[in-house]
Amino acid sequence: MKWIALALLVGAAVLYIVASWLQRQHHPGWSYVAAFSEAAMVGAIADWFAVVALFRHPLGLPIPHTAIIPSNKDRIGTNLAGFIVANFLSTEQVLAKLQRFDAGARLANWLADQRHAEQVASHLGAALHYALGALDDERVRNFIRTGVLEQLKDVDVARLASQLLDVLTSERRHQGVLDALLRKLGSVLDDETLKAQMSEVVASEVKYLRILGLDHVAGRYATRKMVAGVIRLIGEMADDAEHPLRLQFDEFVVNFIRRLKEEPELRAKVEAIKHDLLAQPALAAYLQGLWSELVGWMQADLTREDSLLRQRAAAAIQRVGEKLQADRAMQGWINEQLMAAAPRPIERYREDIRQYIIARVGDWNTQEMTDELERNIGRDLQFIRVNGTLVGGLVGLAIHTATQLARVG
């Protein structure tokens, strides 16, 4: 395009010379050609100057207000950053875009897709495999072992147990556990194999009846009576929430919780038992072995193609996505949380982005930036030179024609 623009300038110059010479040979019509070519040269040179002045000093001369882009690189970077921040990163614009984005529905649809769920599970598996490899180190095992033991030493077991029992026994929740235990005990006792074993035990204790051969008869009779009585008692306790034995159990639990909270002697015994357990080398070895086995199993599982952990993770992620798909209220909650949380980071990071753009433009090499801009928009700028040559010539022709008409008039 530079050569085309230059060729038009040279052509206008040649045409001007020819037309001027022919005009002196008393061919007045050539004056119009001369006027056209003269104005075309002016337009071509003016536009050449304007285009070159954008990128460098014309002919290397330090003419004021030339080499505009290199001279104003920092200002261009500042204005560019301000333009981007104002027109693309304003809080209102970003929030409007987020609202149209509907993050809750998009997240639900994305997670519900089996391929995406498997991708997430695969990435999580890879990260977990790396973490386990890094953690499978003697120094880490010693740190975890000593850290766990130190933390356990600081735990007030008595107080923790009392608080846990308080929760479990509030509103008589423990009675449900007792009901389950009673029903299980009744089913265990009402077992023929166990009854036979109990009969043998009872028979072995009634030696004086063995002579008469009545020991097994007595054993079976006593066992049936005992089991029947126990089962009956269990049934009565299960059916009557105010049964005296149940009330005694309630009283025992309440008193035990109170003692755990208030009695220094009982609390001291619990702490002593805890310290004795923690002082046992077997406990430390057990914790270390348990950690090593857990890490080894997880690493081995994650290396398999049919990894159970990855399958379970993918299935869980997909289930979450499917549940989220069907729950518009939850999707709305996600969108609301995003909209509520977004303004703060937008406001916080917008200025950082602006400063980053300014710094990046400031770091650009001036010559490289100029050359790159010229490569990208130079072709269109050369069209300006071409158009300037043609338009300038036409304007010159129009002026010359108007001048001639004015003279005739």
Side-chain angles (χ1 to χ4, degrees), residues 1-13 35-53 58 381-396:
M1 289 305 302
K2 284 183 177 180
W3 281 109
I4 292 174
L6 180 60
L8 286 175
L9 173 60
V10 172
F36 171 85
S37 57
E38 181 181 14
M41 286 191 294
V42 173
I45 294 172
D47 285 341
W48 167 82
F49 183 90
V51 170
V52 172
L381 293 177
Q382 297 308 317
F383 272 111
I384 293 177
R385 292 177 58 189
V386 172
N387 293 334
T389 303
L390 299 176
V391 172
L394 293 174
V395 171

Side-chain angles (χ1 to χ4, degrees), residues 5 10 21 41-42 48 61 103 128 167-168 187 207 239 244 268 282 294 319 331 340 350 356:
V10 172
W21 182 76
M41 286 191 294
V42 173
W48 167 82
L61 301 175
L128 181 59
V167 174
L168 293 176
S187 65
K207 300 177 181 179
D239 294 337
L294 177 62
R319 282 198 301 272
Q331 294 177 26
R350 181 167 50 222
Y356 172 76

Side-chain angles (χ1 to χ4, degrees), residues 40 52 94 168 221 264 344 359 363 366 408:
V52 172
V94 176
L168 293 176
Y221 179 77
R344 186 172 181 180
D363 291 339
T366 302
V408 172

Side-chain angles (χ1 to χ4, degrees), residues 37-92:
S37 57
E38 181 181 14
M41 286 191 294
V42 173
I45 294 172
D47 285 341
W48 167 82
F49 183 90
V51 170
V52 172
L54 286 173
F55 302 102
R56 59 185 62 84
H57 296 296
L59 301 176
L61 301 175
I63 302 172
H65 302 293
T66 58
I68 294 172
I69 292 176
S71 301
N72 296 276
K73 183 187 68 169
D74 293 339
R75 184 165 61 87
I76 291 171
T78 301
N79 292 336
L80 175 64
F83 175 80
I84 292 174
V85 167
N87 292 279
F88 296 94
L89 295 177
S90 70
T91 303
E92 295 76 12

Side-chain angles (χ1 to χ4, degrees), residues 186 188-206 214-232:
V188 168
L189 291 174
D190 195 16
D191 181 77
E192 294 302 324
T193 303
L194 180 60
K195 289 178 182 179
Q197 293 174 350
M198 293 174 65
S199 297
E200 291 294 331
V201 173
V202 174
S204 65
E205 296 297 325
V206 288
L214 300 175
D215 52 343
H216 288 291
V217 175
R220 286 193 296 272
Y221 179 77
T223 298
R224 283 197 301 271
K225 287 292 186 181
M226 181 175 62
V227 170
V230 171
I231 292 176
R232 184 172 60 254

